[in-house]
Amino acid sequence: MLITRPYHDNTTNYLFKWSKNIIDFAEKIRTPIYDLSGKKVTKKNFESYIKKLKPSFIMINGHGNNDIVCGHKNEVLVKKDDNEDVLKSTVVYARSCSSASGLGEACGKNPNTTYIGYTADYFFMFEEDMLFHPLKDETARMFLEPSNYVAMSLLKGHTAQEANKRSKDEIRKNILKLLARTNSGADQSMLPLMIWNHSHQVCLGDGNARI
């Protein structure tokens, strides 16, 4: 497994921290994992790691849009119609806005390639007073723990389609928790974002792939 973890703003800092749970789990079950993080998340390093290590699973954290996923300070790592072939024959999970709608569709057309991601913006909320303690942020947990389930499920041996479903099931559980609580202003803000993420999280390409 190869995971990218840039951290140059609040969003990537949260993804960086919450991805540590995935790294810890991979190490616990003795799955080799390579952590490309911080300033090292450049296109050059990313392509070099893939060429050298030939990972079966690549998890990308960072900003993006329909055609790209990014690394440190939004340097483009992969772009549709440019270098998407670097992701061939892998299972990819991109926790990145909108990339499944263009880049993911292109990748999913390649044989033995799977792309799990979002066809529109990916949202999560966080608490301002938890910026230096992301893993203690219970608001962020409601969003990021379910998204971690994609990687966790793949590492446990589930297919890509199963991993995507398990992740979406966790989002649904959190939606139901919010609906069962007394509606606060925060709950009312979180609900539509969770529903949005659930609606736009997709598995493209080979849904039966395992890592």
Side-chain angles (χ1 to χ4, degrees), residues 73-92:
K73 291 190 175 179
N74 299 329
E75 178 177 340
V76 175
L77 300 181
V78 187
K79 183 178 180 180
K80 180 185 174 184
D81 298 328
D82 179 22
N83 67 329
E84 76 263 22
D85 284 355
V86 72
L87 301 177
K88 269 187 177 180
S89 303
T90 64
V91 176
V92 179

Side-chain angles (χ1 to χ4, degrees), residues 3-7 10-25 59 61 95 122 124-127 130-131 133-149 151-152:
I3 186 168
T4 70
R5 295 194 302 152
Y7 57 93
N10 290 338
T11 297
T12 52
N13 180 54
Y14 265 75
L15 299 181
F16 176 89
K17 293 292 186 181
W18 276 93
S19 293
K20 185 63 166 60
N21 293 343
I22 296 167
I23 293 170
D24 290 344
F25 180 72
M59 180 171 177
N61 290 288
R95 189 154 51 180
Y122 170 73
F124 68 90
M125 292 176 62
F126 57 85
E127 301 168 29
M130 288 285 115
L131 284 175
H133 307 283
L135 294 178
K136 295 181 180 180
D137 188 331
E138 293 303 315
T139 297
R141 180 184 301 277
M142 298 286 281
F143 294 88
L144 297 177
E145 212 164 54
S147 62
N148 275 0
Y149 260 74
M152 298 288 200

Side-chain angles (χ1 to χ4, degrees), residues 4-173:
T4 70
R5 295 194 302 152
Y7 57 93
H8 54 268
D9 58 19
N10 290 338
T11 297
T12 52
N13 180 54
Y14 265 75
L15 299 181
F16 176 89
K17 293 292 186 181
W18 276 93
S19 293
K20 185 63 166 60
N21 293 343
I22 296 167
I23 293 170
D24 290 344
F25 180 72
E27 291 175 344
K28 181 180 178 180
I29 63 174
R30 298 186 178 182
T31 296
I33 183 166
Y34 302 90
D35 180 19
L36 187 59
S37 63
K39 296 178 181 179
K40 295 181 181 179
V41 191
T42 64
K43 180 180 179 181
K44 179 180 179 181
N45 287 339
F46 182 71
E47 291 183 336
S48 175
Y49 267 56
I50 293 173
K51 183 177 180 180
K52 180 179 179 181
L53 303 172
K54 295 179 173 57
S56 59
F57 174 35
I58 300 171
M59 180 171 177
I60 300 169
N61 290 288
H63 295 291
N65 63 34
N66 293 11
D67 296 333
I68 63 172
V69 287
C70 300
H72 178 63
K73 291 190 175 179
N74 299 329
E75 178 177 340
V76 175
L77 300 181
V78 187
K79 183 178 180 180
K80 180 185 174 184
D81 298 328
D82 179 22
N83 67 329
E84 76 263 22
D85 284 355
V86 72
L87 301 177
K88 269 187 177 180
S89 303
T90 64
V91 176
V92 179
Y93 172 41
R95 189 154 51 180
S96 177
C97 288
S98 305
S99 65
S101 65
L103 174 62
E105 287 183 357
C107 291
K109 292 176 182 177
N110 288 324
N112 305 313
T113 305
T114 310
Y115 197 100
I116 301 172
Y118 303 88
T119 57
D121 287 346
Y122 170 73
F123 292 103
F124 68 90
M125 292 176 62
F126 57 85
E127 301 168 29
E128 292 289 343
D129 57 351
M130 288 285 115
L131 284 175
F132 296 103
H133 307 283
L135 294 178
K136 295 181 180 180
D137 188 331
E138 293 303 315
T139 297
R141 180 184 301 277
M142 298 286 281
F143 294 88
L144 297 177
E145 212 164 54
S147 62
N148 275 0
Y149 260 74
V150 174
M152 298 288 200
S153 298
L154 287 166
L155 288 167
K156 288 178 181 178
H158 295 288
T159 67
Q161 191 63 58
E162 290 168 345
N164 186 55
K165 181 181 182 301
R166 284 169 174 261
S167 171
K168 295 181 74 169
D169 285 347
E170 291 301 309
I171 300 173
R172 191 178 297 112
K173 287 179 185 178

Side-chain angles (χ1 to χ4, degrees), residues 150-206:
V150 174
M152 298 288 200
S153 298
L154 287 166
L155 288 167
K156 288 178 181 178
H158 295 288
T159 67
Q161 191 63 58
E162 290 168 345
N164 186 55
K165 181 181 182 301
R166 284 169 174 261
S167 171
K168 295 181 74 169
D169 285 347
E170 291 301 309
I171 300 173
R172 191 178 297 112
K173 287 179 185 178
N174 285 347
I175 290 171
L176 293 175
K177 285 179 185 177
L178 289 180
L179 289 172
R181 292 190 333 205
T182 301
N183 280 343
S184 67
D187 290 349
Q188 291 175 357
S189 298
M190 293 165 68
L191 267 171
L193 299 183
M194 286 186 183
I195 294 169
W196 177 273
N197 287 346
H198 183 277
S199 299
H200 293 91
Q201 182 176 317
V202 297
C203 177
L204 304 171
D206 185 3

